[in-house]
Amino acid sequence: MKIWNNFTKTVNVPAEGIKLEGEEPSIRDKYRDDIERVLISKGCLKKRVEHLASEVADAFEEVKEVNCLVVLKGGMFFASDLIRLIDDETELRTRIDFIQASSYYDKSTTSGRVKLRESGLLKGENILLIEDIVDTGGTLKRLQDYLREKGKFFKTCVLLDKGLPKSPGLELDFVGFNIPNEFVAGYGLDYAGMYRGMPEIVIVKKELLK
Ligand code: PRP
């Protein structure tokens, strides 16, 4: 793994993965048969999320509040770390709402049909859409169209971007990491419901994927 120390802008993650100096990421025995390797260590995630919180704070500084719309389920840990940092370290007031978007179910490729479930009335105008990953971009496009239909002002924050060709009109305002085109899990992301609780971003073994 490469040692990384600049987290002030989107990190381009090499295929070998990244860690902080002195970190020794390893796959726990219980997951060793399923996981290829660690791509982004726990320490690197923490550092970049801290910087993302300050990027968001700068962008919303004038309006003084941010209405976080967390995309479930994958965005759960990223959003929870990001929002606590925004509240704890910046002058912005926050509100939190949730929306669930699913299209992969138990597969490693998208079904192409993005099902949205709202958790209630979306309050406020200055929305930060918080999503874990942009793969084909289908989910994010659907969510952004949904917010545009509601006439909301929003910015989009994603933790991981695979850098694949995007649908026209897809906007990414804050990106944590550009990653290689591999099936990743951990830190909220799953494969068939598993691995969400792993604290790092890992690559799932190809032979496991359907
Ligand atoms: C995953 C992920 C993103 C989406 C990205 O969601 O959490 O929302 O896929 O893929 P795309 O860019 O190709 O649309 P999934 O449908 O697996 O639901 P989950 O978040 O509940 O795991």
Side-chain angles (χ1 to χ4, degrees):
M1 289 179 93
K2 197 170 166 59
I3 293 172
W4 208 269
N5 52 28
N6 181 7
F7 296 94
T8 57
K9 56 183 194 310
T10 305
V11 173
N12 293 316
V13 181
E16 65 188 288
I18 54 169
K19 64 174 186 171
L20 298 183
E21 183 146 26
E23 259 192 315
E24 286 308 329
S26 67
I27 303 298
R28 279 155 293 280
D29 286 344
K30 60 186 174 184
Y31 290 131
R32 202 150 280 166
D33 290 343
D34 307 8
I35 302 302
E36 184 79 43
R37 61 182 189 279
V38 174
L39 185 67
I40 306 175
S41 74
K42 213 160 126 172
C44 290
L45 285 168
K46 183 168 183 288
K47 293 270 185 201
R48 182 66 190 127
V49 175
E50 281 168 7
H51 204 272
L52 279 173
S54 69
E55 289 173 40
V56 169
D58 289 348
F60 284 79
E61 192 181 10
E62 274 184 22
V63 292
K64 296 186 172 53
E65 64 166 26
V66 56
N67 294 295
C68 302
L69 183 59
V70 180
V71 184
L72 296 174
K73 301 171 190 165
M76 58 191 264
F77 292 128
F78 170 44
S80 119
D81 287 344
L82 182 74
I83 297 166
R84 282 180 298 172
L85 282 162
I86 292 171
D87 238 314
D88 203 23
E89 307 280 338
T90 82
E91 295 306 309
L92 294 180
R93 293 159 64 105
T94 64
R95 285 199 195 95
I96 306 177
D97 267 304
F98 298 95
I99 188 162
Q100 185 169 6
S102 334
S103 68
Y104 280 69
Y105 306 102
D106 282 357
K107 299 265 168 53
S108 62
T109 52
T110 180
S111 66
R113 289 180 304 280
V114 183
K115 191 167 171 187
L116 294 189
R117 285 188 210 94
E118 302 170 63
S119 72
L121 288 174
L122 189 54
K123 295 184 205 73
E125 290 303 320
N126 303 298
I127 291 171
L128 181 69
L129 185 59
I130 306 176
E131 170 70 305
D132 55 350
I133 186 166
V134 189
D135 193 325
T136 65
T139 304
L140 207 50
K141 179 76 173 53
R142 176 93 164 79
L143 287 159
Q144 291 189 341
D145 288 346
Y146 162 88
L147 289 174
R148 281 189 201 103
E149 276 161 29
K150 286 189 173 289
K152 299 282 188 181
F153 167 82
F154 65 90
K155 288 194 180 285
T156 302
C157 183
V158 297
L159 180 68
L160 309 171
D161 180 9
K162 284 193 179 176
L164 302 177
K166 307 272 187 307
S167 319
L170 193 73
E171 290 160 23
L172 304 181
D173 299 286
F174 313 100
V175 177
F177 300 87
N178 291 321
I179 61 165
N181 188 13
E182 299 273 5
F183 196 92
V184 291
Y187 196 55
L189 288 84
D190 74 314
Y191 175 59
M194 292 286 287
Y195 320 119
R196 291 195 200 273
M198 296 181 80
E200 55 277 287
I201 297 291
V202 297
I203 297 180
V204 180
K205 283 190 178 167
K206 286 196 178 57
E207 57 262 36
L208 215 77
L209 304 174
K210 283 194 275 187

